[in-house]
Amino acid sequence: MGHVQKRLLSTVTKLPSVSPATLQKFPPREAFIQESDVPRPAFDPELWASLQPAPSSALSAFTHRAGLSSIIKSEDDIRQACTHPSFIDVWRQHYPREKRIPKDNAQLSVFGNSLMGLFAMEYLTTKYPYLPTRIQKAVMTAHVGPNTCASVATELGADKLLRWHRTPQTPNAPAVLHTDALASIPRAMTALIYKKHSLPSARQFVHSYFLSRQVDIRSMLKFLDPKKALKELVHKFGREPPKSRLLKETGRFSNTPVFVVGIFSGADQIGEGFGSSLKMAEFRAAEDALQRVFLTARPEHEIQLPSMTFPSGVGDVFRFTEKPESTSYKAPESVTAEIFYASAGRSRITPLPRGTPSRFTS
């Protein structure tokens, strides 16, 4: 074996996505450059390694790490879930005469993304009934968005099994980056779990790996004028107008004063804040009162999701093998509509005059 072939072999052995059985056939025929008048491109060992199928041991280890060995037993399904559609064009260019084209996860990823959005939205809507719609969308993206899906795929070790190709942006399609390709794997896995087992199993997978993560929702609630927003919110609930009261202070005539202001609606204190000035403390107190309302969470033992009405047996929602254990589902009560003012002050809706009945209230 020549020096060039030894270097190629040492390069390929460092790549984790190549099966040891494949190295017996290395170097391939295209690695030998023969003298010819026709110019040939240089052999790329990394590209050649990316075209090789993942070893069975790596696929089995990935399935066991995800806890899905009893649900997904076929290696072809796992290999399909880890194959991005961008890989197919590159594979066809290098193997134009091959008739057996690898299966990609295009359809599985789209279907799994819909399932993940369904599970996330029904859970967040039930747990945080007062959360504004715009914030709900941001929280859902933080739970099941592309970055989170790519992070979960990396934690499970799927980045070593991913088969993809970087594609530049075109007028008809966006660019394909490594994060986008990684994000397709958990989505395809969710669809496979539903396809191979049941909808409750797919929901359990999403809840275990995505909805159990801690998301700082409080930092997403930003208000341009919290006092004005709080005034409209208190009026919508039929409570007394909010009033600010100074609770504590220290160092008023010093360089570092601290003021503690409370927001009261009648005799009830609904918010509290501090600051180096009365205006800052009042601003933070109004923010605290709004966050207490919007972040009101329903206890976990009281959460009932619409998808819980489906049976837990094997099969999709159109072929039930078992009857639901309990059909006593009680939908949560509808809460008061959102305030008219957007949290960033971008809403063009003007508030109604005092005394005018609102079309959102019954």
Side-chain angles (χ1 to χ4, degrees):
M1 183 180 295
H3 176 68
V4 177
Q5 281 73 27
K6 289 182 179 180
R7 287 192 59 185
L8 292 176
L9 182 60
S10 63
T11 303
V12 173
T13 53
K14 298 178 182 179
L15 300 175
S17 59
V18 180
S19 173
T22 310
L23 297 179
Q24 299 176 1
K25 303 178 182 179
F26 190 85
R29 296 178 59 184
E30 55 264 25
F32 296 93
I33 301 178
Q34 300 177 358
E35 296 182 0
S36 175
D37 297 335
V38 181
R40 296 182 56 187
F43 176 69
D44 188 356
E46 295 186 1
L47 179 60
W48 177 86
S50 64
L51 295 174
Q52 307 308 311
S56 302
S57 58
L59 296 175
S60 178
F62 170 69
T63 309
H64 282 78
R65 282 196 302 269
L68 304 175
S69 57
S70 61
I71 298 178
I72 305 177
K73 301 180 180 179
S74 175
E75 296 180 359
D76 295 336
D77 294 336
I78 301 297
R79 188 175 287 108
Q80 178 183 0
C82 298
T83 304
H84 193 263
S86 60
F87 171 79
I88 304 301
D89 295 335
V90 181
W91 192 88
R92 286 176 174 174
Q93 293 177 5
H94 287 76
Y95 302 102
R97 299 180 180 178
E98 187 69 29
K99 296 182 179 180
R100 297 185 59 183
I101 302 176
K103 296 182 180 180
D104 57 57
N105 62 2
Q107 295 182 352
L108 292 176
S109 179
V110 173
F111 182 51
N113 186 40
S114 301
L115 287 176
M116 295 173 67
L118 167 66
F119 299 145
M121 182 54 68
E122 69 171 358
Y123 176 76
L124 295 175
T125 304
T126 306
K127 185 174 182 179
Y128 301 102
Y130 296 97
L131 203 63
T133 303
R134 187 175 62 86
I135 307 300
Q136 276 186 349
K137 293 180 179 180
V139 176
M140 186 179 69
T141 303
H143 276 290
V144 296
N147 294 332
T148 307
C149 290
S151 177
V152 172
T154 304
E155 293 173 3
L156 293 176
D159 53 338
K160 308 299 182 181
L161 306 175
L162 176 64
R163 307 173 76 186
W164 74 293
H165 180 69
R166 189 182 299 274
T167 305
Q169 183 177 3
T170 61
N172 299 326
V176 178
L177 304 179
H178 186 248
T179 305
D180 304 327
L182 267 179
S184 66
I185 297 181
R187 296 168 180 170
M189 295 293 293
T190 304
L192 277 177
I193 296 172
Y194 168 73
K195 180 180 178 181
K196 298 297 181 180
H197 202 266
S198 62
L199 184 70
S201 299
R203 186 187 68 240
Q204 181 62 34
F205 174 78
V206 175
H207 277 253
S208 300
Y209 285 96
F210 295 92
L211 298 181
S212 60
R213 294 173 173 258
Q214 298 294 330
V215 176
D216 187 11
I217 307 178
R218 185 179 295 270
S219 61
M220 300 181 183
L221 293 170
K222 301 296 182 181
F223 301 94
L224 181 65
D225 191 350
K227 292 176 58 179
K228 192 174 184 180
L230 179 62
K231 185 178 181 181
E232 291 296 329
L233 182 63
V234 171
H235 173 67
K236 187 175 292 293
F237 279 96
R239 302 289 298 274
E240 298 183 19
K243 295 182 180 180
S244 304
R245 298 177 187 176
L246 180 62
L247 302 179
K248 298 177 183 179
E249 66 171 298
T250 180
R252 179 184 284 266
F253 300 103
S254 65
N255 292 331
T256 57
V258 178
F259 301 92
V260 180
V261 174
I263 298 288
F264 291 82
S265 176
D268 300 328
Q269 181 178 349
I270 59 177
E272 184 176 321
F274 69 95
S276 58
S277 64
L278 290 173
K279 187 175 182 180
M280 181 185 297
E282 190 177 11
F283 184 93
R284 290 178 176 176
E287 269 192 338
D288 180 64
L290 289 171
Q291 291 173 354
R292 288 173 183 267
V293 176
F294 291 148
L295 297 180
T296 300
R298 184 174 280 108
E300 291 290 338
H301 65 277
E302 296 182 3
I303 293 180
Q304 280 189 319
L305 304 177
S307 59
M308 289 182 176
T309 58
F310 293 105
S312 57
V314 179
D316 54 31
V317 295
F318 302 101
R319 294 191 300 269
F320 292 148
T321 58
E322 296 180 3
K323 294 183 179 180
E325 298 179 359
S326 177
T327 57
S328 58
Y329 170 75
K330 182 180 180 181
E333 298 180 359
S334 300
V335 299
T336 309
E338 298 179 23
I339 56 177
F340 292 114
Y341 299 98
S343 60
R346 299 175 183 174
S347 177
R348 298 181 180 179
I349 303 177
T350 55
L352 297 175
R354 292 292 183 184
T356 304
S358 173
R359 61 187 178 91
F360 294 101
T361 58
S362 57

